[in-house]
Amino acid sequence: METYHQKKLNIETYHQQDGLEVFGHPVKTFPQGIGDAFGALMKMIPDGNKRSYYGLSKIDTGGNVLYLAAAEEKFPGEAEKYGCERYSIPKGDYLAVTVHDWRTRTDCIKDVFHEMMQDQRADNSKLCVEWYYGDNEMLRMLPADPVKDLFMAIDGVAAELMELISPLGEEQINTIPLKDSWTAAQLATHVTKSNNAIVQAMDMDGKLVQRDPAGRVKELKKIFLDFNHKLKSPAFIVPKPGVYEKEKLVAALKKSNDQLKEKREQVNLSAVIEFSAFGQITRLELLHFVLYHTQRHIHQLKNMLKHI
């Protein structure tokens, strides 16, 4: 993990494998009272030095930090034994920043919290978690919103593809680099057609079903990120042969990205639709397809560019 610096915050992703049960009590003064609160908690527990400690926090409507000092629960009912409140730390993905030598940096912890909350992937409706490990290390974790994370990933690959296409000249984008290969122009047109098809699919009638809306994500990832396996595109998104005008091609690709970005905010992503290319699939799974499909063609284009 990266270290917090006064002028720059490096945020990485941490996966909490299992949910945790913890217990503790609120800190009366934040951040000055953090050390004393944990000290009192450790003295109260007989094996105080032999378990993990956590800080749970969130910002109230007045902008004040509500902070709870907590210890890992070793057995059911331990919270009640010590007259403490029990809290749950959910499993899942978190945005994470490591603060080294945290005891001398309590004044900066609030700033770390505020800056992490500005990250577009952050789910600010949930508790922020601090995991204290070792003598002076603290991992600050804020739950990541998986949908926001997906949106950012899609926007990132869309920008990357555009950056690869934009510098190419008219002759380059219309050059066939390898036998039985598309041109760069055809590849970009294929992605545009695919994006437009997904935008239309998002408007199809959907229904809510009792299954994980991301249940097919692993399947899609395995298929489209297997670069050694050649896939056949549906006829309706196969680009026509011929010479393409770069300016029109780039404008069409950008428009498809913008429309997809707008449409994803307007629909229920958990709903299942009947889509010809995939059968029953949720809109959320279709967005994962967009991500993996674009990544696949970025990989293909980079290989093509070596031969243009």
Side-chain angles (χ1 to χ4, degrees), residues 34-225:
I34 292 177
D36 290 341
F38 279 108
L41 195 58
M42 293 177 70
K43 287 180 181 179
M44 182 179 66
I45 304 170
D47 63 344
N49 294 321
K50 298 180 180 179
R51 66 177 74 201
S52 295
Y53 288 85
Y54 299 87
L56 308 179
S57 57
K58 69 181 302 181
I59 296 181
D60 65 16
T61 54
N64 302 305
V65 176
L66 305 177
Y67 191 97
L68 307 165
E72 175 188 8
E73 188 173 49
K74 291 288 191 179
F75 57 85
E78 190 174 20
E80 289 78 8
K81 177 181 177 180
Y82 295 111
C84 295
E85 296 181 58
R86 179 182 292 105
Y87 309 96
S88 296
I89 298 176
K91 66 179 181 180
D93 290 329
Y94 289 78
L95 306 180
V97 172
T98 295
V99 178
H100 297 290
D101 196 20
W102 68 269
R103 296 177 189 276
T104 63
R105 299 188 177 192
T106 55
D107 288 343
C108 81
I109 292 175
K110 186 175 181 180
D111 296 331
V112 174
F113 188 20
H114 279 284
E115 191 165 343
M116 290 180 72
M117 290 180 68
Q118 304 309 309
D119 191 293
Q120 293 181 34
R121 299 166 293 174
D123 185 347
N124 295 322
S125 66
K126 297 180 180 177
L127 286 173
C128 180
V129 179
E130 292 171 355
W131 173 30
Y132 295 88
Y133 61 98
D135 291 331
N136 295 299
E137 306 299 304
M138 183 259 280
L139 183 66
R140 190 159 184 80
M141 305 184 296
L142 188 61
D145 184 321
V147 174
K148 291 180 181 178
D149 200 21
L150 173 61
F151 287 178
M152 284 191 67
I154 292 173
D155 294 344
V157 295
E160 184 178 1
L161 180 59
M162 191 67 75
E163 288 170 4
L164 290 171
I165 291 290
S166 295
L168 302 180
E170 298 284 344
E171 182 177 350
Q172 290 175 304
I173 65 169
N174 288 294
T175 297
I176 299 175
L178 299 165
K179 183 181 179 181
D180 299 325
S181 169
W182 286 340
T183 64
Q186 287 176 299
L187 182 149
T189 299
H190 166 70
V191 173
T192 299
K193 285 176 172 286
S194 178
N195 287 348
N196 289 338
I198 299 301
V199 171
Q200 292 177 7
M202 290 285 177
D203 275 331
M204 296 174 66
D205 290 336
K207 60 180 180 180
L208 295 177
V209 294
Q210 297 299 315
R211 77 164 178 87
D212 180 2
R216 295 186 64 185
V217 169
K218 288 184 179 180
E219 169 199 346
L220 294 169
K221 184 175 184 179
K222 183 178 181 180
I223 292 171
F224 288 95
L225 295 190

Side-chain angles (χ1 to χ4, degrees), residues 22 35 42 47 69 99 113 179 189 201 245 258 272 276 292-293:
V22 299
M42 293 177 70
D47 63 344
V99 178
F113 188 20
K179 183 181 179 181
T189 299
E245 292 182 37
D258 290 343
V272 170
S276 58
Y292 303 140
H293 181 250

